[in-house]
Amino acid sequence: MITEKEIKHIAKLARINFKKEELKKFQQEFSKILDYIERLKEVDVSKVEGDFQKAFLKNVMRKDEPKEKFKLEITKKLIEAMPETQDNYLKVKKII
Amino acid sequence: MNFEDLTIEKAHQSLLKKEFSALELTKFFLERVEKENPKIFAFLKIDEKSAITQAKKIDEKILTGQKISYLAGIPCGIKDNILVEGLECTAGSKILKNYIAPYDATVVKKLKEEGAIILGKTNLDEFAMGSSTEYSFFGPTKNPIDLKRTPGGSSGGSAAAVAANFCLFALGSDTGGSIRQPAAFCGIVGFKPTYGAVSRFGLIAFASSLDQIGPMTKTVRDCEIVFEAIKGKDEMDSTSIEIPSSSHSTTLSLKDIKIGVPKEYFIKGIDPEVEKVVKKAIKKYEENGAKIEEISLPHTEYALPCYYILAPAEASSNLARYDGIKYGYSKNSKLKTQNSKVKSQNSKVLDVYFESRGEGFGPEVKRRIMLGTFTLSAGYFEAYYLRAQKVRLLIKKDFEEAFKKVDFIFTPTTPTPPFLLGEKLKDPVLMYLSDIFTVPVNLAGLPAISIPCGKIGNLPVGLQIVGPAFSDFRVIQIAKFYET
């Protein structure tokens, strides 16, 4: 079973706040899921060359040129969706 | 005029013959939704005004003798993880409550160009993560066939909307079965196209190497009409591809068709009644000339654990954008600052992330983000993620080998009929298992359709037909045989 300390560490990496009372239940469920995915270790992958991504995916390149499509109108909407702005800039809390 | 048994095809003919107007058709569905939706909760939001305006436009076209496409004047629903400009798009999450879509998804743009009438947005499991629509922040959708049961998920709202006759078709998205499983549970047709066949620009991303948009309809013919309208390469989605149009695919004769039935799909855990109904459906193909062959997809049992490593890993990355800074639910909003002045003065940007995500995401989304973060973290990456990518390759190769011997693969869509609301909420792994037959197809990127093939009592059973990559229209064609 995964420890509470480990869960807290993953939560920190994932930037998710857990309430204390949430944590215990989460730890149990999470352990059950981990047990389930552990089953993958039964598969012999020693002879598999490469993997899915290497076998089937390739880069699609295009020129990095500005397009007409996204006009000011959309920029305006994106700014409107921001939780806090000042003079059309996104406002964030103190970082340093 | 009877609006109850309408299909897209029939409605289109009636519109052309002026048996009813697009406005009458739209109003019928709007009134029905208003009356019945509270009990089923398939739709999250209805956009009545715009639906009526659009319908009037189509009527004008018909009256002035202009040519209209198949979908012109046809009312539809859009899963609420697909952007429709000006409408709220929540993905079933608190974190996107009140988020207004700034532009149309490519599929929506295409539907609008065709003249389809968008009635509103349909319910889903939060960020399409779930198999019952019970993980929606806004409440569960109920199965129109039996209100005590789930419609499946995550496109449960879309499936229920079509099954309850709230609209003539709906769009869903399918990452591990989210179109096919609810289609099977609601007794309708659901199609997941080949990976990349339909643009995902404007689809809220869950697991990008698996996500695919597709149609949910009453008949296979309708499914073909909608798929034809939404497919195609799109410069806004670099993973999109062009697959040949239906007019280019040759006519299939069942006599020349070999159907593979994988033995791994008929093992313990499958409801014996489901097995009986599906085998009977396969028999029907055999009686009409198709050859049936037992095949093996040896890595089937590892598909689900493989999926539950890869999909959450991608989700943990895709959902990093919901940080309470740029849009959506935020513990940084002005309102909150006014309410807790002292706290806000001391809080830092990191607190905004932690609190917005902690309060904005529901339990299943948190589980998956955490799971993905864990399997991608230092020390675990190779044991989980990299191994899963290798297993994914083995699963894909299983299908490739099988398609050297057979033309299509037939399986049940789900191991059980629709389950009761609440039945699997306490055990996440039990919920995951309901996608055991659909997940392998996403991992391999193949096209697959679920069609209703019989019932257990009044509960529908789905037959899944899988084809090789790019054989989308052939899959649709072979599914049509069952309807005729």
Side-chain angles (χ1 to χ4, degrees):
Chain A
M1 181 133 153
I2 193 157
T3 64
E4 195 181 310
K5 200 182 148 203
E6 284 170 304
I7 292 278
K8 281 184 175 163
H9 173 67
I10 305 164
K12 202 177 146 197
L13 293 175
R15 303 284 189 265
I16 295 176
N17 208 13
F18 278 90
K19 292 194 193 90
K20 246 201 167 122
E21 60 271 25
E22 257 182 304
L23 217 54
K24 194 88 210 153
K25 194 175 159 238
F26 189 88
Q27 190 184 344
Q28 283 167 0
E29 286 166 347
F30 199 75
S31 292
K32 269 184 97 168
I33 298 169
L34 282 183
D35 287 345
Y36 183 71
I37 63 172
E38 284 293 322
R39 296 183 54 188
L40 217 57
K41 297 200 167 147
E42 295 166 16
V43 189
D44 178 13
V45 293
S46 61
K47 290 190 191 77
V48 183
E49 274 184 46
D51 59 49
F52 183 84
Q53 286 168 310
K54 284 182 194 126
F56 293 102
L57 303 185
K58 52 173 189 278
N59 273 332
V60 179
M61 310 294 274
R62 62 164 171 80
K63 287 211 171 98
D64 188 20
E65 288 165 343
K67 290 222 170 102
E68 274 290 305
K69 279 189 177 162
F70 276 75
K71 291 188 186 134
L72 221 57
E73 194 190 316
I74 288 182
T75 315
K76 229 188 256 170
K77 286 182 191 168
L78 295 178
I79 294 170
E80 270 167 30
M82 292 171 182
E84 210 173 346
T85 53
Q86 192 179 319
D87 308 326
N88 269 350
Y89 285 98
L90 170 67
K91 198 173 170 186
V92 294
K93 295 238 180 295
K94 196 163 67 178
I95 290 174
I96 308 167
Chain B
M1 183 67 203
N2 180 15
F3 289 115
E4 292 295 328
D5 318 311
L6 272 186
T7 60
I8 297 172
E9 177 114 73
K10 282 190 214 164
H12 176 68
Q13 297 305 332
S14 296
L15 285 171
L16 288 180
K17 288 186 209 146
K18 301 192 179 69
E19 288 169 356
F20 50 75
S21 67
L23 187 61
E24 283 168 322
L25 187 66
T26 300
K27 279 191 168 164
F28 165 79
F29 285 111
L30 285 172
E31 276 163 29
R32 195 182 172 98
V33 171
E34 197 183 318
K35 210 170 121 222
E36 307 279 334
N37 192 54
K39 133 177 134 197
I40 293 168
F41 201 48
F43 274 103
L44 288 171
K45 265 255 149 71
I46 287 291
D47 186 14
E48 189 174 337
K49 215 175 126 197
S50 146
I52 285 181
T53 314
Q54 289 307 315
K56 283 179 180 164
K57 274 189 197 159
I58 299 299
D59 282 335
E60 219 174 278
K61 271 193 167 179
I62 296 170
L63 280 174
T64 54
Q66 293 177 57
K67 203 175 175 314
I68 58 160
S69 76
Y70 261 118
L71 293 178
I74 304 295
C76 68
I78 307 288
K79 188 178 182 180
D80 204 25
N81 59 351
I82 299 171
L83 305 188
V84 178
E85 190 185 337
L87 291 188
E88 198 180 338
C89 192
T90 67
S93 180
K94 182 181 175 185
I95 214 160
L96 283 177
K97 195 171 178 269
N98 302 324
Y99 172 72
I100 307 293
Y103 54 87
D104 278 331
T106 298
V107 285
V108 169
K109 198 171 142 239
K110 286 187 171 195
L111 289 183
K112 283 182 176 174
E113 280 163 7
E114 294 271 317
I117 312 291
I118 294 170
L119 296 183
K121 306 299 291 289
T122 56
N123 200 11
L124 69 159
D125 287 294
E126 187 178 357
F127 285 103
M129 297 176 191
S131 312
S132 69
T133 319
E134 289 168 292
Y135 291 137
S136 167
F137 172 71
F138 304 98
T141 298
K142 288 163 190 150
N143 193 320
I145 295 162
D146 179 347
L147 295 176
K148 293 191 301 298
R149 290 175 194 273
T150 144
S154 66
S155 312
S158 289
V162 174
N165 204 26
F166 289 170
C167 52
L168 288 177
F169 75 95
L171 292 187
S173 68
D174 190 316
T175 306
S178 283
I179 287 175
R180 289 158 290 154
Q181 186 254 24
F185 277 12
C186 291
I188 64 160
V189 175
F191 179 53
K192 183 204 92 72
T194 298
Y195 179 73
V198 177
S199 165
R200 299 173 301 171
F201 178 67
L203 169 71
I204 293 178
F206 158 15
S208 305
S209 80
L210 303 156
D211 295 342
Q212 186 61 81
I213 296 173
M216 305 179 79
T217 55
K218 293 180 181 175
T219 66
V220 180
R221 170 63 187 134
D222 281 2
C223 174
E224 183 176 43
I225 293 170
V226 178
F227 178 56
E228 184 82 63
I230 60 172
K231 74 176 186 64
K233 190 169 167 55
D234 175 17
E235 61 167 0
M236 303 304 279
D237 174 1
S238 63
T239 60
S240 64
I241 43 153
E242 196 64 59
I243 63 155
S245 144
S246 63
S247 49
H248 299 297
S249 67
T250 48
T251 319
L252 291 176
S253 159
L254 277 187
K255 283 199 298 293
D256 309 323
I257 295 297
K258 243 193 218 168
I259 292 165
V261 180
K263 60 177 188 216
E264 291 83 2
Y265 283 64
F266 294 90
I267 44 162
K268 71 171 167 58
I270 181 174
D271 184 299
E273 291 293 316
V274 170
E275 180 170 347
K276 224 197 274 172
V277 172
V278 169
K279 287 217 161 135
K280 209 174 139 197
I282 296 172
K283 191 96 190 147
K284 197 179 158 191
Y285 277 88
E286 192 175 21
E287 283 162 7
N288 284 285
K291 280 177 212 69
I292 312 290
E293 194 175 305
E294 188 186 83
I295 58 161
S296 172
L297 298 167
H299 296 92
T300 298
E301 66 170 306
Y302 300 110
L304 203 63
C306 176
Y307 176 86
Y308 275 98
I309 291 170
L310 297 179
E314 294 183 30
S316 73
S317 164
N318 270 330
L319 272 65
R321 73 190 73 184
Y322 307 103
D323 55 6
I325 301 287
K326 301 181 289 291
Y327 51 83
Y329 182 80
S330 175
K331 292 300 279 183
N332 190 27
S333 69
K334 279 176 194 155
L335 192 75
K336 291 280 181 319
T337 344
Q338 278 162 4
N339 287 346
S340 52
K341 263 193 179 137
V342 185
K343 202 181 170 203
S344 97
Q345 279 165 7
N346 296 327
S347 71
K348 291 190 189 119
V349 73
L350 214 56
D351 299 325
V352 181
Y353 299 156
F354 276 96
E355 285 174 33
S356 304
R357 290 164 69 80
E359 289 177 25
F361 289 134
E364 181 60 23
V365 173
K366 280 183 191 166
R367 273 196 287 276
R368 299 213 194 174
I369 293 174
M370 291 282 285
L371 194 58
T373 306
F374 170 71
T375 58
L376 290 175
S377 65
Y380 297 100
F381 176 78
E382 273 187 36
Y384 290 100
Y385 185 79
L386 211 57
R387 171 172 280 266
Q389 288 292 5
K390 285 180 183 288
V391 175
R392 184 175 183 181
L393 185 59
L394 293 173
I395 290 163
K396 169 111 180 151
K397 285 189 169 163
D398 279 358
F399 279 104
E400 282 175 355
E401 284 305 309
F403 284 127
K404 283 179 190 162
K405 286 183 253 161
V406 297
D407 300 292
F408 301 96
I409 294 172
F410 280 31
T411 80
T413 308
T414 60
T416 68
F419 47 89
L420 294 166
L421 289 159
E423 191 180 325
K424 301 190 182 200
L425 273 181
K426 282 207 183 84
D427 186 345
V429 175
L430 208 61
M431 185 74 92
Y432 297 169
L433 285 167
S434 67
D435 289 327
I436 194 156
F437 297 153
T438 47
V439 151
V441 177
N442 297 76
L443 290 171
L446 306 174
I449 197 167
S450 176
I451 57 169
C453 71
K455 282 178 181 173
I456 304 169
N458 66 334
L459 300 176
V461 175
L463 168 72
Q464 176 173 243
I465 302 175
V466 189
F470 315 117
S471 72
D472 300 57
F473 282 107
R474 283 168 57 88
V475 168
I476 289 171
Q477 234 187 319
I478 192 115
K480 273 189 196 165
F481 282 113
Y482 198 79
E483 280 182 346
T484 49

